[in-house]
Amino acid sequence: AFNNLGIRTCKKAWDDKSFDWHTTKNAIFRTTWDYFERLDEFLAWIKLYSKKIKFINDVDLILWNLDKNYLRSFPKKHIVPSLFLKLNNKTSLKEFFFQTGWEKIIIKPSVSAAAWNTHLVSKKNVTAMELIFSKLKKKHTMIVQEFQSNVLVFGEISLIIFGGVFSHAVLKKAKKNDYRVQDDFGGSVNVYQPKKTEIDFAEKIVALCPKKPVYARVDILFNHKNKPILSELEIIEPELWFRFNKKSADFLAKKISNFIRED
């Protein structure tokens, strides 16, 4: 798609020390899926090369989206009910159940991806999970969220947005007896035809970002009232499922071409 627009590209790992990054004008983040396990290295790399290379998405957006505390930027009614914890928070999981009245809870680090260190906690397993939670919150700032049971029935929708405009969507479903929709854990992914209200919701979320992303993936769950809510907004390195929409690569390439010529 880039070649068709006369744009030369190559694929490189962000930590490839043999590559001369000074030869690069623009860098598109696609599969930097180890960044959350090597965060200090990744941030140092960004700090160094963002001064020399135009990042896509914009470096300010990348740094904002890196930590799931970005969810605080959106109206509470639009996101999964969430509590954002500081490092070494002293509150126990049992206390969170008492304080919130939630039936089930999801816990995960605020910097993570692909369900890394993500756990489902119920009142039945809360005692066993306290030890895991205690270890995690010593190393990571954590998020505690109300589990949205509709994910077990309907799944999670991912809407792909290029330049603020809807491109295509997929429906992700967890395998039997699991809650994680990622295909890493046996989940399925299929083409999805979203309703206009779902597209409008996704485009609205993207419009509320500090800057307009060139590309974004809006992950939507449905709450207990069957209303769409934001699960995650991925604008660093989201899987975009080009294989489900043959025109999508050309669509994104044109948006990126416009972006890099805006200077």
Side-chain angles (χ1 to χ4, degrees):
F2 281 122
N3 289 340
N4 291 337
L5 296 175
I7 299 173
R8 293 173 53 205
T9 63
C10 65
K11 291 188 284 186
K12 292 292 177 181
W14 65 270
D15 60 350
D16 185 346
K17 293 181 173 58
S18 67
F19 182 67
D20 183 3
W21 290 98
H22 295 90
T23 64
T24 300
K25 293 182 179 180
N26 308 279
I28 305 160
F29 287 66
R30 291 305 306 121
T31 55
T32 55
W33 292 338
D34 59 350
Y35 78 85
F36 51 90
E37 296 180 276
R38 303 168 59 191
L39 187 59
D40 289 343
E41 285 180 75
F42 188 64
L43 289 174
W45 184 88
I46 285 178
K47 183 178 180 180
L48 176 61
Y49 289 109
S50 63
K51 299 172 183 177
K52 306 168 184 178
I53 301 170
K54 188 171 185 177
F55 283 171
I56 308 166
N57 282 302
D58 182 272
V59 63
D60 292 333
L61 276 177
I62 290 171
L63 294 174
W64 172 74
N65 192 234
L66 199 87
D67 189 311
K68 297 183 197 308
N69 273 276
Y70 70 77
L71 289 168
R72 295 184 179 196
S73 303
F74 300 102
K76 285 186 177 181
K77 66 180 181 179
H78 289 335
I79 68 170
V80 173
S82 304
L83 301 173
F84 303 91
L85 312 185
K86 294 181 179 180
L87 203 64
N88 287 315
N89 181 279
K90 303 301 181 185
T91 309
S92 69
L93 289 172
K94 286 183 180 179
E95 289 176 290
F96 283 124
F97 274 112
F98 178 77
Q99 291 173 7
T100 62
W102 296 341
E103 289 299 314
K104 292 183 179 179
I105 284 172
I106 291 287
I107 58 171
K108 57 187 174 185
S110 65
V111 180
S112 64
W116 182 68
N117 280 323
T118 297
H119 301 277
L120 175 61
V121 186
S122 67
K123 293 173 183 177
K124 291 182 180 180
N125 72 351
V126 65
T127 300
M129 292 302 301
E130 289 286 10
L131 180 59
I132 293 174
F133 184 54
S134 179
K135 289 180 179 179
L136 283 172
K137 63 186 182 181
K138 288 177 182 177
K139 296 181 179 180
H140 309 281
T141 54
M142 299 291 293
I143 295 182
V144 175
Q145 296 181 308
E146 182 184 20
F147 177 64
Q148 304 300 303
S149 57
N150 269 342
V151 71
L152 301 176
V153 180
F154 184 79
E156 180 182 77
I157 305 170
S158 287
L159 292 97
I160 315 303
I161 310 293
F162 295 151
V165 180
F166 170 73
S167 172
H168 57 289
V170 298
L171 174 64
K172 300 175 289 184
K173 284 194 162 189
K175 70 178 183 180
K176 187 177 181 180
N177 298 322
D178 205 331
Y179 62 94
R180 296 166 298 188
V181 298
Q182 291 86 354
D183 50 14
D184 310 59
F185 302 101
S188 63
V189 183
N190 290 286
V191 174
Y192 179 74
Q193 300 300 328
K195 300 175 183 175
K196 185 179 183 302
T197 52
E198 295 162 354
I199 294 173
D200 290 346
F201 179 83
E203 292 182 346
K204 180 179 181 180
I205 289 295
V206 169
L208 289 172
C209 291
K211 294 182 179 180
K212 187 167 92 172
V214 181
Y215 58 93
R217 194 185 83 211
V218 183
D219 293 339
I220 293 175
L221 293 173
F222 291 91
N223 64 17
H224 308 311
K225 297 180 180 179
N226 287 317
K227 298 291 185 182
I229 51 176
L230 178 65
S231 170
E232 301 247 349
L233 171 66
E234 302 283 2
I235 59 177
I236 302 176
E237 31 57 278
E239 184 169 1
L240 296 174
W241 292 290
F242 292 110
R243 64 186 181 274
F244 289 125
N245 184 331
K246 294 181 179 179
K247 297 180 180 180
S248 59
D250 291 325
F251 186 16
L252 178 57
K254 289 177 183 176
K255 293 293 183 181
I256 290 174
S257 176
N258 292 339
F259 178 75
I260 63 180
R261 292 185 171 97
E262 283 176 357
D263 289 338

